[in-house]
Amino acid sequence: MRKEKYAVTGMTCSACSSHVEKSVCKLPGMDEVTVNLLTNSMQVVYDEALCTESQIIDAVEKAGYGASLNQADRHTGRGDSRDDRGGTADTKGQLIRESLKGKKENKEMKIRLIISIIFMLLLMIVSMHHMFFMWLHLPVPGLFMKLFHGNENALTFAFTQFLLTLPIIYVNRKYYQTGFKTLFHLSPNMDSLIAIGSGAALVYGIFAIYRIGYGLGHGDEALVARYASDLYFESAGMILALITVGKYLETRSKGKTSEAIEKLMDLSPKTAILLMENGEEKEIPTQQLMRDDLFVVKPGSLIPVDGIVVEGTSSINEAAITGESIPVEKQPGDTVVSATMNKAGRLVCRAVKVGEDTTLSQIIHLVEEASSSKAPIARMADKIAGIFVPAVMGIAAVTFLVWMGVGGGFEAAISSAIAVLVISCPCALGLATPVAIMVGTGVGAKNGILIKSGDALQSARDIDTVVLDKTGTITEGKPKVTDILQFGKDLTSDQVLAFAAAIEKPSEHPLAEAIVSEARAKNISIPKVEDFRAVFGKGVMGNCGNEKFLAGNMGFMEENGVTLSEDQKKTMDALSEDGKTPLLFAVNQKLSAIIAVADTVKASSVKAIEELHEMKIDVVMLTGDNRRTAQAVQKKLNINQVVAQVLPEDKEKEIRRLQKQGKKVAMIGDGINDAPALAAADVGIAIGAGTDVAIDSADIILMKSRLTDAITAIRLSRAVITNIKENLFWAFFYNVIGIPLAAGVWYPVFGIRLNPMFGAAAMSLSSLFVVGNALRLRRFKSHSYEEGKDLEEQNKLENEKKKEERKMNKIMTIEGMMCGHCTGRVQKALEEIPGVEGVTMSLENKSAEVILDGQVTDEMLKAAVTEAGYEVTQIK
């Protein structure tokens, strides 16, 4: 199957897009056709063996419109290899050409608008000169009285109006060319209604000139007076002028909906500095950079393409891509992304993704595709639009015949028929969905949420169950040190971490990396270990000076003569139940510390899951981890359901199982193992920091890798679909009310009849209302949860809460205290134990009340008091 995008010309309303879609769908081998009125584009998926580019273009032309293949598709075949450097710029070039074309069309329409308004005003002054000067409280000028007043001047009066109408018709001849062309192809559109409506008024006016001439020639004053007051030239001119005003304002408003894509385009740097083989630097256009080229990025410059740092260190501001304002430190081996800003040092990078493959180009492509796609809700509007124009023409004909049949007269019949033609608005129907989707996807892109299609945008609204992968989605995806528990007073916390990092540094285990990273983060000097030896699956050992270091599990400790007390074993169990991995460290066969390592939960995940519960959305966590770790995360985050120890195919089966229960499921993941589940879900949401496979399988991508953005995506989806429903309601409501009013249905009851001029104005306003309503989405506020300061505050509160939960009081009975000095020594010894927060001594009761952290053991308390020279007889 081949996927291509075509530019389609000549479309003005949803009836046009519907006819183009139907015509192309009839071709053999055509799998999918999506025509977008807003972007004047068509996306097709077809079998190359059964259909060709020329057949597709011919089908569009036979329907009465023009089509051409986008230049990017012509050169690259959407994914084919490129042999020349220039080919990489095609997509961007196409966007620029479309932008320039749009500006040219806007300029031409502005000229049409100015000419139309000038001659329309002159026409109105001539045709309604009595009313005009009366409204200004001025007498009618003598020239007007001589030229246009009385039956004797009726022919001059009528012919002057005809001459003033001609420039308006000429500059707006496009309505007639397109309208009658599509009518002859039996696919009438909005232009057909305008052409017939204004054309009928013009023809009737010319007919009136002949009748006035006949009346003057035969002395029939009554005939002259009758037709001099029923010319309708002002209706023809006013209809065209008001439609042009509406179209101009609509075009300007629609231009604002594509600002997101234009802003993304502006992020791309125009030039890059190529590092030649001889070491020279050469400035070249960015599109000429090839894969594996070395390029230089100077401080303050934008990175031209995706690459890997090979030389230099710096901090990169990635806000343009991820939305994160805090610069990210980069060193050799780290990846850099196009359109991000180098803040500090000089970098030499190797190009990895160039041209259309860069992150920025892919984002632009995704936003474009989503803007051009249709939500399922749009298909109903398209079906109605396909029969709307013929139906309106039929209603206009019936209106004319009924008015003539009931004796309303030719004037009332033609006036009502023209009003029906010009008031009906298929344009509002056609714009209801695409403008909302384009604005919605643009707002999403601005907030780091890439929505691939209108289908995904609509489906996200109905989600009632969110399935989450644990590692990398709920958690950071990288082990970190969470607790350092010391035993004895020989070493400080920093010294414990230093020897732990020393013994773990030669190891290649991921948990070892976490300890070494923690030591480096605290700027702790790591000593060198000699005689290092690793025992697979158990632990490591080595010497540092005269000290023998051990690190590993409980079995490894016991094998090497290190015994653990019951309190220490309970501490290990408590850490394990909390989803942490306890690592034991001993010096000279004595347990010195337990360091707990865990894949920590993202602070944004806590907030996101709380919000999902508030939105009445069930949360299910799938993980390949063991059940104990999974249940610890479930308890911490209050997750409805957890499925542990699952394989990739089991994740996909779990999605299917939930769907069979009638649930609308969103899957959020980041790894290759999540790809099947992402593809199977109603909406697949990929974390932006995840693998390419996961991102390709997903419908929505969260560039900031923050779970809270999934909440924003769901809320944005709901806002967009609500906006589309409002637009469709207005489009239907307007026509249901407007067409009967124009037809004169209410005239017998209320005496109300609509002038065609007011019908044309109403038609223009209806389209403006739809576009304006869609633009309200630009005020959509993203999720209020911010990382940074709020994250620190949340972590602080969580830590304080945990600390309060772990606090406990113990009363120690101590023998040997005789005076205040004794109690002072004991109190000082106890207060020096890490985790002891308060000590209250009682000499009278021979006791000490200790407020401590739950991870301080009885053995640690006894050891401190014994070392101070006293005996502990009881702890309770």
Side-chain angles (χ1 to χ4, degrees):
M1 287 291 178
R2 186 179 180 85
K3 184 177 182 180
E4 290 177 336
K5 187 174 181 181
Y6 289 78
V8 181
T9 57
M11 295 192 300
T12 55
C13 70
S14 56
C16 301
S17 58
S18 179
H19 287 304
V20 171
E21 203 164 289
K22 286 177 182 176
S23 300
V24 178
C25 273
K26 292 175 183 176
L27 293 173
M30 191 58 61
D31 182 64
E32 184 183 331
V33 182
T34 305
V35 180
N36 189 287
L37 173 66
L38 184 65
T39 56
N40 290 315
S41 64
M42 174 178 69
Q43 288 189 128
V44 294
V45 179
Y46 66 95
D47 187 340
E48 292 178 85
L50 300 173
C51 188
T52 64
E53 176 191 329
S54 59
Q55 285 178 296
I56 294 169
I57 293 173
D58 286 345
V60 176
E61 289 176 349
K62 284 177 182 176
Y65 306 91
S68 60
L69 182 65
N70 272 10
Q71 292 300 313
D73 288 343
R74 186 180 301 280
H75 283 278
T76 67
R78 188 66 73 198
D80 295 343
S81 62
R82 296 182 297 274
D83 296 324
D84 62 287
R85 293 179 181 232
T88 60
D90 285 331
T91 297
K92 188 176 177 184
Q94 180 69 21
L95 290 171
I96 293 170
R97 283 191 290 273
E98 287 175 4
S99 177
L100 292 173
K101 183 182 176 184
K103 288 178 181 178
K104 184 182 178 183
E105 287 176 355
N106 280 355
K107 187 177 180 181
E108 289 174 356
M109 186 170 280
K110 190 174 182 180
I111 293 169
R112 279 171 50 195
L113 176 67
I114 293 169
I115 293 171
S116 298
I117 289 175
I118 289 171
F119 281 94
M120 181 195 73
L121 291 173
L122 292 173
L123 179 60
M124 296 303 291
I125 291 170
V126 171
S127 63
M128 301 180 182
H129 58 275
H130 281 99
M131 291 174 60
F132 178 75
F133 288 107
M134 189 183 297
W135 179 70
L136 292 175
H137 301 291
L138 294 172
V140 178
L143 181 64
F144 279 78
M145 294 296 290
K146 288 178 182 179
L147 291 176
F148 307 133
H149 196 66
N151 281 358
E152 65 276 13
N153 293 315
L155 198 58
T156 309
F157 178 61
F159 196 70
T160 303
Q161 290 185 54
F162 174 64
L163 292 176
L164 290 172
T165 306
L166 289 178
I168 301 174
I169 290 171
Y170 178 76
V171 295
N172 293 293
R173 62 192 179 279
K174 186 179 178 182
Y175 295 123
Y176 295 97
Q177 292 168 346
T178 306
F180 287 120
K181 181 182 178 182
T182 55
L183 185 61
F184 293 145
H185 281 94
L186 301 179
S187 56
N189 62 2
M190 185 194 73
D191 287 348
S192 304
L193 299 179
I194 297 168
I196 294 170
S198 61
L202 180 69
V203 169
Y204 181 78
I206 294 171
F207 170 74
I209 289 177
Y210 279 96
R211 295 298 287 162
I212 289 169
Y214 177 85
L216 289 172
H218 291 77
D220 190 342
E221 295 290 325
L223 184 67
V224 172
R226 176 186 164 193
Y227 281 100
S229 60
D230 292 333
L231 289 168
Y232 278 104
F233 286 122
E234 76 279 6
S235 291
M238 181 71 85
I239 288 167
L240 293 170
L242 288 176
I243 295 294
T244 304
V245 170
K247 280 286 181 184
Y248 176 71
L249 295 175
E250 180 188 309
T251 303
R252 286 193 62 186
S253 298
K254 285 197 294 187
K256 292 179 183 178
T257 65
S258 59
E259 281 182 359
I261 296 175
E262 291 177 6
K263 285 179 180 177
L264 286 171
M265 284 170 53
D266 290 340
L267 290 175
S268 179
K270 306 295 184 290
T271 59
I273 299 174
L274 179 68
L275 187 63
M276 310 292 284
E277 291 182 4
N278 60 7
E280 290 183 7
E281 296 178 4
K282 181 182 178 183
E283 188 171 300
I284 61 170
T286 299
Q287 62 264 27
Q288 290 186 12
L289 265 182
M290 295 292 284
R291 186 182 171 87
D292 292 329
D293 279 349
L294 291 178
F295 61 91
V296 176
V297 187
K298 295 179 179 179
S301 300
L302 290 170
I303 294 170
V305 296
D306 294 7
I308 296 174
V309 179
V310 296
E311 183 185 312
T313 58
S314 181
S315 57
I316 304 293
N317 186 339
E318 297 182 342
I321 300 297
T322 66
E324 296 297 339
S325 58
I326 301 171
V328 180
E329 299 298 323
K330 299 290 182 180
Q331 58 187 4
D334 290 341
T335 58
V336 291
V337 179
S338 57
T340 55
M341 172 74 75
N342 181 17
K343 300 289 287 183
R346 177 182 182 272
L347 295 176
V348 177
C349 308
R350 185 180 303 280
V352 175
K353 293 181 180 178
V354 297
E356 290 184 6
D357 297 327
T358 65
T359 300
L360 180 64
S361 294
Q362 290 300 311
I363 291 172
I364 292 172
H365 179 63
L366 284 173
V367 174
E368 264 202 308
E369 280 206 338
S371 300
S372 300
S373 66
K374 287 185 180 178
I377 196 171
R379 288 165 196 150
M380 174 185 69
D382 287 347
K383 287 177 182 177
I384 293 171
I387 59 170
F388 183 82
V389 174
V392 167
M393 293 174 70
I395 293 169
V398 170
T399 299
F400 179 81
L401 293 173
V402 169
W403 273 98
M404 291 297 289
V406 298
F410 183 77
E411 178 201 341
I414 193 72
S415 174
S416 297
I418 292 170
V420 168
L421 291 170
V422 298
I423 198 173
S424 57
C425 193
C427 207
L429 276 174
L431 292 170
T433 301
V435 288
I437 288 177
M438 178 166 267
V439 176
T441 51
V443 168
K446 184 180 175 183
N447 288 285
I449 301 165
L450 300 182
I451 302 165
K452 288 186 177 180
S453 68
D455 201 347
L457 194 62
Q458 181 168 342
S459 298
R461 168 186 171 271
D462 301 319
I463 293 303
D464 56 23
T465 303
V466 170
V467 178
L468 304 169
D469 171 56
K470 182 182 82 70
T471 307
T473 302
I474 294 176
T475 63
E476 297 286 353
K478 190 177 180 182
K480 289 183 179 179
V481 173
T482 58
D483 303 86
I484 300 176
L485 307 177
Q486 300 161 244
F487 298 100
K489 299 173 63 178
D490 297 337
L491 300 170
T492 64
S493 175
D494 284 354
Q495 287 173 328
V496 166
L497 191 57
F499 92 70
I503 194 68
E504 293 285 11
K505 190 177 180 183
S507 171
E508 295 179 353
H509 198 280
L511 300 182
E513 289 180 19
I515 293 170
V516 174
S517 296
E518 181 73 8
R520 285 174 175 163
K522 292 185 175 181
N523 295 318
I524 294 173
S525 177
I526 302 174
K528 190 175 181 181
V529 170
E530 297 174 348
D531 302 324
F532 175 82
R533 187 162 65 92
V535 180
F536 182 75
K538 292 185 177 182
V540 294
M541 61 176 66
N543 298 323
C544 186
N546 298 322
E547 311 283 354
K548 183 181 180 181
F549 289 177
L550 292 171
N553 57 29
M554 189 162 62
F556 185 65
M557 291 292 154
E558 290 174 348
E559 284 177 13
N560 286 276
V562 180
T563 56
L564 275 71
S565 67
E566 287 302 314
D567 284 337
Q568 289 168 342
K569 290 177 182 178
K570 286 178 182 177
T571 299
M572 286 184 65
D573 289 338
L575 291 169
S576 297
E577 285 175 9
D578 203 22
K580 300 171 182 177
T581 302
L583 302 175
L584 308 179
F585 293 88
V587 180
N588 298 328
Q589 294 187 314
K590 182 181 178 183
L591 186 70
S592 296
I594 297 176
I595 297 181
V597 176
D599 184 5
T600 55
V601 172
K602 296 177 184 176
S604 61
S605 299
V606 179
K607 184 70 175 175
I609 291 169
E610 283 177 6
E611 294 260 350
L612 287 169
H613 288 316
E614 288 175 12
M615 295 167 74
K616 309 298 182 189
I617 294 174
D618 291 335
V619 181
V620 178
M621 184 178 80
L622 301 183
T623 179
D625 279 350
N626 63 71
R627 192 169 300 279
R628 177 182 268 189
T629 302
Q631 287 174 342
V633 176
Q634 179 184 21
K635 184 179 177 182
K636 185 176 184 179
L637 298 177
N638 190 27
I639 294 172
N640 302 84
Q641 182 185 346
V642 165
V643 183
Q645 295 174 312
V646 291
L647 299 172
E649 57 269 27
D650 294 330
K651 290 185 180 182
E652 190 261 349
K653 286 175 185 174
E654 184 64 22
I655 297 293
R656 299 289 185 197
R657 185 186 69 79
L658 291 167
Q659 288 172 329
K660 283 178 182 176
Q661 294 175 6
K663 295 182 180 293
K664 294 290 184 182
V665 183
M667 170 70 191
I668 307 178
D670 70 326
I672 292 173
N673 63 335
D674 298 319
L678 287 167
D682 295 288
V683 179
I685 302 176
I687 298 294
T691 63
D692 289 343
V693 176
I695 289 170
D696 289 343
S697 303
D699 303 300
I700 297 173
I701 301 164
L702 309 180
M703 292 299 293
K704 297 179 187 176
S705 301
R706 230 170 40 184
L707 201 53
T708 43
D709 285 342
I711 310 293
T712 304
I714 294 171
R715 286 181 168 161
L716 178 62
S717 165
R718 292 177 177 180
V720 170
I721 299 305
T722 299
N723 191 278
I724 289 172
K725 287 183 174 179
E726 290 169 353
N727 288 345
L728 289 173
F729 171 79
W730 167 255
F732 287 123
F733 175 77
Y734 162 80
N735 283 296
V736 166
I737 298 297
I739 291 175
L741 177 65
V745 171
W746 308 117
Y747 184 74
V749 182
F750 303 108
I752 300 173
R753 240 178 70 201
L754 193 69
N755 188 295
M757 291 183 287
F758 294 111
M763 179 184 180
S764 298
L765 288 172
S766 68
S767 296
L768 285 175
F769 177 88
V770 166
V771 175
N773 188 47
L775 288 174
R776 287 193 307 114
L777 287 168
R778 295 168 76 193
R779 298 201 296 268
F780 175 84
K781 299 294 181 186
S782 63
H783 200 283
S784 59
Y785 181 76
E786 293 288 341
E787 297 206 65
K789 189 173 180 181
D790 289 342
L791 175 57
E792 289 173 13
E793 187 66 30
Q794 182 165 335
N795 283 338
K796 186 178 176 184
L797 290 171
E798 283 185 2
N799 290 335
E800 285 178 1
K801 185 179 177 182
K802 286 179 186 175
K803 216 169 180 181
E804 287 295 323
E805 288 173 353
R806 288 199 301 260
K807 275 184 187 177
M808 61 177 70
N809 286 24
K810 289 192 177 184
I811 298 175
M812 305 174 65
T813 304
I814 302 169
E815 291 295 331
M817 295 190 299
M818 307 297 293
C819 63
H821 292 294
C822 296
T823 57
R825 277 194 293 274
V826 172
Q827 183 170 352
K828 185 179 179 184
L830 291 170
E831 285 177 343
E832 286 178 353
I833 299 172
V836 173
E837 297 192 3
V839 180
T840 304
M841 301 299 301
S842 172
L843 181 61
E844 184 181 346
N845 297 326
K846 305 288 184 183
S847 66
E849 184 178 353
V850 186
I851 301 172
L852 46 78
D853 190 294
Q855 292 174 341
V856 177
T857 64
D858 289 355
E859 187 179 277
M860 293 166 70
L861 296 173
K862 282 181 183 178
V865 174
T866 302
E867 194 174 328
Y870 302 90
E871 182 185 355
V872 178
T873 58
Q874 186 182 21
I875 298 178
K876 61 180 180 180

